[in-house]
Amino acid sequence: MNTKQKMTLLLLLIAVSACATVVSLPDSKESIASIKASFADKGIAKMDRLDQSELQKTCSDYAQKELPAEIRAQLEKAATDSVKYPASGKYLGDWKEGEKVAQNGRGLQFSDDSKTVNGGNCYACHQISKEEIAYGNIGPSLAQYGKLRGGPSEEIVKYTWSKIYSSHAFNACSVMPRYGAAGILSEKQMQDVMALLLDPQSPINK
Ligand code: HEC
């Protein structure tokens, strides 16, 4: 190694050790304080939205490590027990209305008011109808959802209702909104979205 190469190596080592000492990750208290400092109440969106539920706290604690099976089972059981099934026994509404709910991303935003009817914004995360080409892929494709599952059997209907009502029932730390448990969609809107996914007449099952 000549002197120039030695100097380059030395500078590189200094740079690497400097990085190692400067970078230290904030703990959860510091992270929360810094997130809170970046937001303010605006319209209907208030700061209490940043307060985590016990489930969310647990999921944050385990964000970088495996959630122990026992805790996972407890969280999923609590979510399953919270699911309210329609008293009428009717699970499938009108798929045309369901498509509108799935398309609608309004509601609960700072620019909405408390009278705005919430949408489901399902396309933000899922492919559903093949006519809609703008969709996100955080969640799996729901195209042909009912057809691929052999139609609306009681088991599939109850599973789908529970998943939409409280996504944590089947995946403790799911990022999907809890449409029933968090009061985002009404029972009627959920029945309509269910029809979009499961009614054999729904174009997504053709
Ligand atoms: C923020 C993203 C997001 C939104 C919005 C969202 N989902 Fe999901 N959804 C997911 C993710 C991620 C999964 C799979 C893994 C999980 O549950 O964490 C999922 C799973 C599902 C499943 C189960 C699929 C299967 O094969 O078992 C159904 C049904 C579903 N979503 C329906 C809906 C409906 C209906 C809406 C709108 C009312 C919706 N989702 C909105 C993220 C989302």
Side-chain angles (χ1 to χ4, degrees), residues 1-196:
M1 227 187 261
N2 63 29
T3 321
K4 202 174 162 202
Q5 283 171 326
K6 276 185 194 153
M7 280 302 287
T8 313
L9 187 65
L10 187 67
L11 284 174
L12 198 69
L13 283 174
I14 292 170
V16 168
S17 63
C19 288
T21 46
V22 172
V23 177
S24 77
L25 290 173
D27 63 22
S28 65
K29 264 199 187 140
E30 285 168 333
S31 307
I32 290 166
S34 137
I35 292 168
K36 287 196 169 166
S38 325
F39 286 90
D41 282 354
K42 201 165 183 190
I44 59 166
K46 307 282 186 228
M47 288 292 281
D48 62 4
R49 291 194 181 182
L50 296 176
D51 297 336
Q52 291 188 302
S53 67
E54 286 308 313
L55 176 143
Q56 287 169 330
K57 274 184 208 153
T58 308
C59 290
S60 293
D61 289 345
Y62 287 96
Q64 306 292 332
K65 48 189 187 239
E66 179 92 9
L67 184 67
E70 203 180 308
I71 300 181
R72 169 180 290 279
Q74 278 167 11
L75 296 176
E76 289 176 358
K77 181 172 185 308
T80 306
D81 291 347
S82 81
V83 175
K84 282 200 194 74
Y85 298 100
S88 61
K90 182 182 169 191
Y91 285 86
L92 305 189
D94 175 349
W95 62 261
K96 286 195 194 94
E97 290 302 312
E99 173 67 22
K100 290 184 203 159
V101 173
Q103 289 277 358
N104 182 4
R106 295 307 313 184
L108 300 171
Q109 300 184 35
F110 74 83
S111 50
D112 291 320
D113 64 35
S114 53
K115 290 197 201 80
T116 309
V117 175
N118 300 332
N121 208 15
C122 315
Y123 281 99
C125 296
H126 294 286
Q127 176 182 37
I128 311 179
S129 151
K130 59 177 183 306
E131 272 70 49
E132 177 53 79
I133 53 166
Y135 56 84
N137 60 5
I138 293 174
S141 171
L142 302 176
Q144 299 209 303
Y145 182 85
K147 194 177 178 186
L148 292 173
R149 285 158 185 78
S153 65
E154 193 186 335
E155 217 181 354
I156 291 295
V157 164
K158 286 214 162 139
Y159 161 73
T160 310
W161 181 270
S162 311
K163 180 76 196 169
I164 298 172
Y165 193 98
S166 179
S167 55
H168 304 293
F170 298 97
N171 177 7
C173 296
S174 174
V175 297
M176 178 169 145
R178 295 161 301 135
Y179 288 100
I184 301 169
L185 295 181
S186 66
E187 188 175 276
K188 154 110 182 32
Q189 287 177 307
M190 285 185 52
Q191 288 162 333
D192 292 342
V193 161
M194 287 281 291
L196 175 69

